[in-house]
Amino acid sequence: TDVGVSSAKITKEITILLLGETGVGKSTFINAFTNYLFYPNFQDAERGELYTTIPAKFTMFDSNFTEREVVVGKPSDNEVVGQGVSSTQGCHAYEYIVPISEKENLLLRIIDTPGIGDTRGSQKDAENFQNILSHLGLYKKIDGICMLLKPNESRLTLAFRYCVKELLKHLHKSAKDNIVFCFTNCRNTFYRPGDSFKTLQGLLKDLYNTTGIEIPLTKSTIFCFDNEAFRFLAAIKNGVVFEPEEKKDFCISWNNASKESQR
């Protein structure tokens, strides 16, 4: 996807692996993150083009409580647009050309993966994990691993714990230095990790006790976003009308997310 493409040369590549449980909002996060990169504030995003790499469909209510269906992106065989099933069917890399100066561009590659805790059962989870490992073999280098979580999870599923441990077994030990944790829907937790912090802390402590691998959990490895800001913009682009005070709330959410994406 040639987002923000210019005549400048690509001088740097960054490849990021995105992991998370089913339903955490990985596909929405990718769509949102792209827009946060190019629009530092909500006003710019509202005036500009909505970048939607991955198709999505959801329902919202306008200011008159009228139900409205919001559809973004083009149909894709890799995405099931609906409810009650795991959306992303297989690993897929999305590439973005991001200007870093007048003469230089960055090629940002985000690898989307099927959700951990697949609705089709543990056998499908195991199959998905093997597919992830096979897909990673296509790249010479993985620059970062992004674990996506909701901010108020009191427990992480066994499938998620298994995936983290198995992934670190198969990657070079230095991979632990490039792991970050991104929390979605953080508007309700004041753009902080919430209850999930202690849950994640427990998982990492267990990981250290069993493998000796220590992964830091600090401000430098934690990023807090709010996917709802992107959904709000998508709804506006689809003609849904909101009250001015509602817009003000999501403007703050967007601006916070944009700052996090640049951090």
Side-chain angles (χ1 to χ4, degrees):
T1 302
D2 293 341
V3 178
V5 66
S6 70
S7 58
K9 293 182 179 180
I10 295 174
T11 56
K12 186 176 181 180
E13 290 188 19
I14 293 179
T15 301
I16 298 173
L17 175 67
L18 189 62
L19 296 169
E21 292 189 287
T22 293
V24 75
K26 293 189 304 302
S27 297
T28 303
F29 175 79
I30 290 175
N31 278 336
F33 187 75
T34 308
N35 287 273
Y36 296 149
L37 281 177
F38 291 98
Y39 299 124
N41 59 67
F42 188 83
Q43 289 77 11
D44 288 344
E46 192 174 10
R47 288 191 295 265
E49 176 187 354
L50 181 70
Y51 297 121
T52 50
T53 306
I54 305 173
K57 180 172 68 175
F58 56 92
T59 299
M60 294 189 78
F61 291 85
D62 63 19
S63 56
N64 294 317
F65 283 19
T66 302
E67 187 177 25
R68 300 286 299 274
E69 184 177 79
V70 178
V71 180
V72 297
K74 297 178 181 179
S76 166
D77 292 338
N78 196 50
E79 299 290 328
V80 175
V81 181
Q83 297 182 353
V85 295
S86 299
S87 298
T88 302
Q89 302 302 295
C91 294
H92 189 90
Y94 297 95
E95 296 184 346
Y96 308 92
I97 297 175
V98 184
I100 52 179
S101 73
E102 290 185 3
K103 296 183 179 180
E104 296 179 306
N105 278 333
L106 162 71
L107 176 61
L108 174 63
R109 182 182 295 111
I110 301 178
I111 304 172
D112 192 16
T113 59
I116 302 166
D118 195 289
T119 53
R120 289 162 290 188
S122 58
Q123 185 174 348
K124 190 62 180 178
D125 262 335
E127 180 184 322
N128 287 340
F129 184 74
Q130 290 304 315
N131 287 339
I132 291 172
L133 292 178
S134 296
H135 190 83
L136 292 181
L138 299 175
Y139 307 99
K140 292 181 179 179
K141 181 184 178 185
I142 301 297
D143 298 283
I145 301 171
C146 175
M147 303 282 187
L148 208 61
L149 305 101
K150 291 180 180 178
N152 269 330
E153 294 289 338
S154 58
R155 58 185 294 273
L156 295 172
T157 65
L158 291 175
F160 185 84
R161 292 170 177 266
Y162 168 82
C163 183
V164 172
K165 291 179 179 179
E166 286 299 305
L167 184 69
L168 290 173
K169 280 184 183 178
H170 289 85
L171 296 180
H172 190 274
K173 61 181 181 180
S174 63
K176 68 179 181 62
D177 299 323
N178 298 316
I179 294 177
V180 298
F181 304 94
C182 292
F183 293 87
T184 62
N185 305 100
C186 285
R187 188 161 53 96
N188 294 330
T189 56
F190 307 101
Y191 307 101
R192 300 292 187 271
D195 293 341
S196 295
F197 183 86
K198 285 191 175 297
T199 307
L200 183 59
Q201 202 172 38
L203 169 62
L204 298 181
K205 183 178 180 180
D206 178 57
L207 182 70
Y208 176 72
N209 290 336
T210 55
T211 67
I213 297 174
E214 185 174 13
I215 300 174
L217 195 59
T218 64
K219 188 173 181 179
S220 63
T221 59
I222 293 174
F223 298 84
C224 296
F225 296 90
D226 180 37
N227 284 353
E228 291 302 307
F230 169 78
R231 288 161 63 94
F232 183 76
L233 176 64
I236 289 177
K237 295 287 189 181
N238 273 257
V240 181
V241 178
F242 296 95
E243 298 295 337
E245 54 268 26
E246 293 175 307
K247 183 176 178 180
K248 182 179 178 182
D249 190 23
F250 282 104
C251 280
I252 295 172
S253 175
W254 184 284
N255 295 346
N256 282 333
S258 180
K259 287 178 183 177
E260 283 291 86
S261 67
Q262 301 287 345
R263 183 155 67 88

